Amino acid sequence: MFGAIIGDVVGSRFEFRKGNIRKDFELFHKDCRFTDDTVMTVAIADALYQSYTNSVDEMQEYMIDAMRAWGKKYPHAGYGRRFKEWLKKDNPHPYYSYGNGAAMRCSFCGWIKETLDETVALAQYSAEITHNHPEGIKGAQCVAAVIFLARNGKSKQEIKEYVEEDFGYDLSKTLRELKEAERNDVSCMDALPLALTAFMEGESFEEVIRNAVWLGGDTDTIAAIAGSMAEAMYEIPMYMLENVMNYLPVDIWTTALRYTEAVYVLEDARDPNPEYFKNIDIAYKIEDLYRNKDEKDNEQYYSNIYDAIIERMAEGGLVPVPVIDPADLFEERQIFDMTIEEYKECEETGYLALDPLNLVEDDTEWIPLFTNSKQCKNSMMSKTVISMKIEDLIKITLEKENVSGVIVNPFGKRVFINKEVLKEILLRVKVARGVQLN
C-alpha cells in the first residue's frame, strides 16, 4: 500500500492549486503531508488483515470499525463533509456517493485474493459501506482489478483492454488531452481515467506519480490511486520509501509496513494445495516474531506461533515433507495424505526416511516442517515429497532419539521448536479436541 501513501504525500501540496505544475517538481517538500487518503488506506488494510477470510458482513463490520477508529485518531486529515459526518455516527450507513474516496483507499484489496473475481468482489465490499453508488463501487473495483492484473504479470495493453471492456472507462485520451479538458476530479467517473492514464503512460513508479500530480486538480487522490496501481507493476525506489517515512506518524508507518510484509507472506504461501495454504497463519505469526525480534520479551510471539500450529493440528492440517527415497520407487513428486502408519511401514522396509537438517553449530539435527510447497521446493532437499499431518510429523520426530525437534521453514524465516515444546503442543491439541487427560 506504499504506492498509494507515497502518491498521497507527494500530491498533497498541489491539491487544487492554481497555475501550471512542472513535471520536474520536488517530490518531497516541506509542505507535503499525509491526508485522509493515507489514513483510510491503512484503515482498510488493518480491517482486511484481520477479517478477509470472514463472512462479508463481518468483514464490513471490521472495515467500518477500523475506519472510524483511524478517523478518530486523525480527525483533521482532510475528510469530505459527508464522510466526516459518517465517521461521527454510532451506526453509520452508506450515503450513495460516487466520489473517488472508495477508489483511493482500496489498494490492499488488490493484493490478498487469489482470483480476479474474488478481488473485484472484495473491492465492492470495501466501497459499499460508504460509496454504494454504482460508479463509486465501480471505481474501487477497477483499481483493485488493475492491481491484481499487474501483480500477476499482465501487460499494460492487456490491462487497458480489460478496463475499457469490463468497466467502460474511456482511455483513448492522452495525458496532455486530459490535463487540458474540463473535469470533476472528485468523482470516480473523472478520477479513474486520470489515474489510469497516468499509470499507462508512466514507465517507472516515479514517472507515474509525476504524471498524476502534473495533471493538477485533486492531486493527492489521483496520485494515490495511480501510485497504488504502479506499485503492482514497478519497484518503488528505496529513496522514496525512506523519504515518505518522514511525513508519517509511527503508527501509520508501522501498520503499513506490517501489512506490506503480510502481503509478501501471503504471496509466498499461495499454494496449489489448499491444505497448505491454510497454514498461512503460522507464517504470519513467524513474521510477527521476526518483526519484533529486538524486543526483550518475545515469548508471546513464540506462544502465538505455537497457538497457530495447534489450531492447524486440531483441524488435521497437512504439510509437505521431503523424504529420502533410496530405491527411487516413487515417480510422483507429491504423494498426498500419507498416514503415520503408512510412513512407518515404508521407513521400516527402507523405502522412505525423513531427511533431517543440521543448521546449528552444536551438530544437532532437526526435522524440517515446511508450511507450504514453495518453502519446501526452495529448500532443494529430497526430490520425493509426501503430504503428512503436522501432528504425525511431530509424533515421528518425538520418537527419534537423534533429533532435537522440528525447524519450521528452515530456509526462510525459521523457528526451532524443541521436543519439550512439541510434547506440550501435542497435549494442548488433545485438550482442544476435548480429550480427557489423566
Side-chain angles (χ1 to χ4, degrees), residues 169-171 175 178 187-198 215:
Y169 290 119
D170 179 9
L171 301 181
L175 205 64
L178 289 172
S187 74
C188 264
M189 296 82 85
D190 281 355
L192 263 293
L194 295 171
L196 286 161
T197 305
L215 286 167

Side-chain angles (χ1 to χ4, degrees), residues 378-418:
N378 289 345
S379 74
M380 301 297 290
M381 293 182 67
S382 311
K383 69 172 184 178
T384 301
V385 178
I386 63 175
S387 189
M388 183 181 288
K389 287 184 178 180
I390 302 173
E391 183 173 0
D392 288 346
L393 181 61
I394 288 176
K395 287 179 178 178
I396 292 170
T397 300
L398 290 172
E399 291 175 2
K400 293 190 174 299
E401 295 181 359
N402 59 332
V403 298
S404 299
V406 299
I407 176 171
V408 184
N409 292 340
F411 299 98
K413 292 180 177 177
R414 62 196 188 195
V415 172
F416 292 88
I417 307 179
N418 64 39

Side-chain angles (χ1 to χ4, degrees), residues 69-122:
W70 282 95
K72 184 177 181 180
K73 189 178 290 188
Y74 296 102
H76 307 299
Y79 310 104
R81 179 183 58 81
R82 286 201 293 171
F83 185 74
K84 190 180 292 185
E85 293 172 358
W86 182 91
L87 284 174
K88 293 178 180 178
K89 293 179 179 178
D90 292 332
N91 185 26
H93 295 284
Y95 46 90
Y96 205 60
S97 173
Y98 55 77
N100 57 27
M104 61 76 172
R105 72 188 185 215
C106 74
S107 57
F108 200 69
C109 300
W111 289 94
I112 61 175
K113 288 297 185 179
E114 294 189 77
T115 69
L116 181 58
D117 286 345
E118 289 176 317
T119 298
V120 170
L122 187 60

Side-chain angles (χ1 to χ4, degrees), residues 49-290:
Y49 177 77
Q50 301 176 64
S51 69
Y52 79 97
T53 58
N54 293 18
S55 70
V56 174
D57 288 344
E58 288 173 331
M59 274 195 294
Q60 290 185 321
E61 284 299 318
Y62 269 93
M63 286 188 273
I64 291 169
D65 289 346
M67 289 165 70
R68 294 180 67 229
W70 282 95
K72 184 177 181 180
K73 189 178 290 188
Y74 296 102
H76 307 299
Y79 310 104
R81 179 183 58 81
R82 286 201 293 171
F83 185 74
K84 190 180 292 185
E85 293 172 358
W86 182 91
L87 284 174
K88 293 178 180 178
K89 293 179 179 178
D90 292 332
N91 185 26
H93 295 284
Y95 46 90
Y96 205 60
S97 173
Y98 55 77
N100 57 27
M104 61 76 172
R105 72 188 185 215
C106 74
S107 57
F108 200 69
C109 300
W111 289 94
I112 61 175
K113 288 297 185 179
E114 294 189 77
T115 69
L116 181 58
D117 286 345
E118 289 176 317
T119 298
V120 170
L122 187 60
Q124 175 180 334
Y125 307 148
S126 76
E128 62 190 9
I129 53 178
T130 53
H131 294 58
N132 57 335
H133 188 285
E135 291 293 340
I137 293 170
K138 186 173 79 171
Q141 289 176 316
C142 180
V143 172
V146 170
I147 292 170
F148 177 89
L149 294 171
R151 72 177 176 83
N152 281 285
K154 297 298 183 182
S155 69
K156 284 187 176 179
Q157 183 59 37
E158 290 173 312
I159 293 172
K160 180 180 179 182
E161 291 172 0
Y162 168 79
V163 167
E164 289 179 325
E165 181 176 342
D166 280 56
F167 294 103
Y169 290 119
D170 179 9
L171 301 181
S172 63
K173 292 183 172 62
T174 66
L175 205 64
R176 181 166 293 280
E177 288 172 332
L178 289 172
K179 181 178 175 66
E180 295 171 353
E182 291 187 12
R183 60 184 198 258
N184 175 19
D185 293 5
V186 298
S187 74
C188 264
M189 296 82 85
D190 281 355
L192 263 293
L194 295 171
L196 286 161
T197 305
F199 165 66
M200 293 293 174
E201 292 194 18
E203 295 184 1
S204 68
F205 179 83
E206 180 180 327
E207 187 175 1
V208 171
I209 298 297
R210 289 189 180 279
N211 284 346
V213 174
W214 179 73
L215 286 167
D218 194 6
T219 49
D220 58 334
T221 300
I222 303 303
I225 296 172
S228 69
M229 296 186 285
E231 181 180 11
M233 182 161 283
Y234 302 115
E235 183 176 352
I236 299 176
M238 184 55 65
Y239 76 89
M240 297 185 82
L241 289 168
E242 291 172 347
N243 274 279
V244 78
M245 181 171 63
N246 297 323
Y247 298 88
L248 302 176
V250 172
D251 58 346
I252 287 181
W253 168 257
T254 55
T255 301
L257 184 62
R258 179 165 70 251
Y259 296 150
T260 299
E261 290 173 346
V263 166
Y264 294 138
V265 173
L266 184 62
E267 286 296 298
D268 184 63
R270 295 191 193 281
D271 203 289
N273 184 341
E275 277 298 314
Y276 298 162
F277 184 66
K278 292 177 184 177
N279 297 327
I280 189 171
D281 198 45
I282 300 173
Y284 278 145
K285 296 302 186 289
I286 293 174
E287 189 70 34
D288 284 343
L289 169 67
Y290 272 78

